[in-house]
Amino acid sequence: MAEVEYDTMKPHVAVLPSPGMGHIIPLFELAKSLVVHHNCHVSFLNITTEASAAQTHLLRSPACTVLPPGLQVIDLPPVDISALVSEETLVLTRLSIIVQESLKSDLKSVLIELGKPQALVIDFFCTQAFEICRELSIPTYTFCTTSTAFLSFSLYLPTLDREVECEIEDLLDQARNRKIEEYKWLLLHLSRLPMATGIFSNLWEDLEPKSLKAIREHSFYKQIPTPPIHAIGPLIKQDEVPMTETDAECLAWLDKQPLDSVLFIALGSGGTLTAAQLTELAWGLELSRQRFILVVRKPTNASASGTFFNAGGDVNDPTAYLPEGFLERTKGVGLVIPSLAPQVMVLRHSSTGAFLSHCGWNSILESITHGVPMIAWPLYAEQRMNATILVEEVGVAVKMAAGGGLEKGVIKKEDIGRVIRMVMEGNEGKVMRHRARELKDGAEKALNFGGSSYKSLSCVVHEWKADISNSKCNSH
């Protein structure tokens, strides 16, 4: 690892995400914000074992990694997990084993070589770092990459596990069966949340005020005790630079469409549908008679998170699985993009009128930050919970159906077409669009100098700077 010189009066912070673009993107944006806006030096620790093509492209592509001075990406060497996993190993278990083996091999030595940073920031699934950082006396912060409602559930889960015997339905896939390894990993990680020095939440104060108030003030959470919650978002992915040929074609097509007329359909970096459901979605788009951009990948009957570890790397020919003649019949009205699209650019575009989303938290923040209402089609993990929050608390979405994951059966083309028309043409869509644009303005103010999220992160950085001053005074 090449040694990097930096100002010893600047806080040096290490940032460690678990695998998966939903974790890597917001923590990478935090790293950049700490460097650019808060005068910190940041070492971003990249777990390379089974890294997806999208992860490597983001962090290591020469065209995409023009990093600001003071930010360095450090690769943790790949580890062999072949004896610990199989093809049947589910996503959270596989992810947790990758993190466990990577940190066991390298984290302590890397942190020592970095001169023991002022703090380490991790996400929910890197909790093995707590013991290592305790040994090195490094304060460890948890970055919550999803909603505050999910954070409140996460803090409550250990109590729920002790006191309630029935299964936990409709909140989280991994909590449905307590006997499986996925649930044991989840409980292990979430039970360690109180070990954090503080919790960074990727939202702003006005997005989920009820949940934030509950965690900060309710006696249950005070007794845990819950670490301080710092709302520092929305930290979202910026534009794809440079644009690919596909990106340029997509934006050129959007430029020709009327204001607020295009439905953008994308189910995240890891989301997949069954062949039957993808067929119904395609027919539903035709029935709706709305303009659309459809991001598709090869369907699977195995798992709704089928490309979690292969984001950006799948071989994809839409003519092999979309209904026969679909591309010809929708030519000019719709645009089909295999695998990945320039999502932020599409959502920012004035022609985009709504977003059919899997309700991953990054996609939610990107949509709201650009004032775009949503059609919620949750697939896995905590996405059903996110969808409920968007509909019932935030007011910027409608649900396509009660779920949409593989276990829920197939949503029919008639229902898909009806909901799309309602959002694109009806009064419900206009109300949601107005609400989304109100929240867009609030998010922008929160992030700007003097805004609530800017001040929240500044307060923590100020504590780190005070620690540097105190340690220097004590050493003299």
Side-chain angles (χ1 to χ4, degrees), residues 375-405:
I375 298 172
W377 192 314
L379 294 175
Y380 61 92
E382 87 292 354
Q383 292 163 11
R384 284 189 302 281
M385 187 188 296
N386 292 346
T388 300
I389 295 161
L390 291 176
V391 174
E392 297 180 4
E393 186 174 337
V394 184
V396 293
V398 295
K399 284 185 183 178
M400 180 59 78

Side-chain angles (χ1 to χ4, degrees), residues 393-438:
E393 186 174 337
V394 184
V396 293
V398 295
K399 284 185 183 178
M400 180 59 78
L406 298 176
E407 74 286 358
K408 292 291 183 180
V410 175
I411 305 169
K412 296 300 183 182
K413 58 180 183 278
E414 295 83 4
D415 296 324
I416 294 169
R418 175 182 52 79
V419 172
I420 290 173
R421 285 193 301 274
M422 179 181 74
V423 173
M424 298 303 294
E425 296 179 343
N427 286 330
E428 296 96 332
K430 291 174 184 174
V431 170
M432 291 191 304
R433 199 165 288 113
H434 178 73
R435 172 62 176 153
R437 286 169 181 169
E438 285 180 340

Side-chain angles (χ1 to χ4, degrees), residues 197-218:
T197 303
I199 297 175
F200 292 128
S201 194
N202 194 13
L203 46 69
W204 59 109
E205 294 285 341
D206 294 339
L207 186 62
E208 288 185 274
K210 292 178 183 175
S211 295
L212 276 172
K213 182 179 172 69
I215 294 176
R216 286 168 172 164
E217 298 181 10
H218 194 282

Side-chain angles (χ1 to χ4, degrees), residues 42 62 92 134 138 163 189 192 214 305 372 399 420 471:
V42 177
L92 178 56
R134 179 183 290 163
I138 298 174
E163 297 180 355
H189 291 307
R192 290 173 168 176
S305 55
V372 178
K399 284 185 183 178
I420 290 173
S471 64

Side-chain angles (χ1 to χ4, degrees), residues 5 8 95 120 147 152 170 225 262 277 282 312 329 416 445 467:
E5 292 186 13
T8 55
L95 182 155
L120 174 70
S147 65
S152 65
D170 294 326
V262 176
Q277 184 61 82
R329 291 191 302 273
I416 294 169
K445 288 175 185 174
D467 289 342

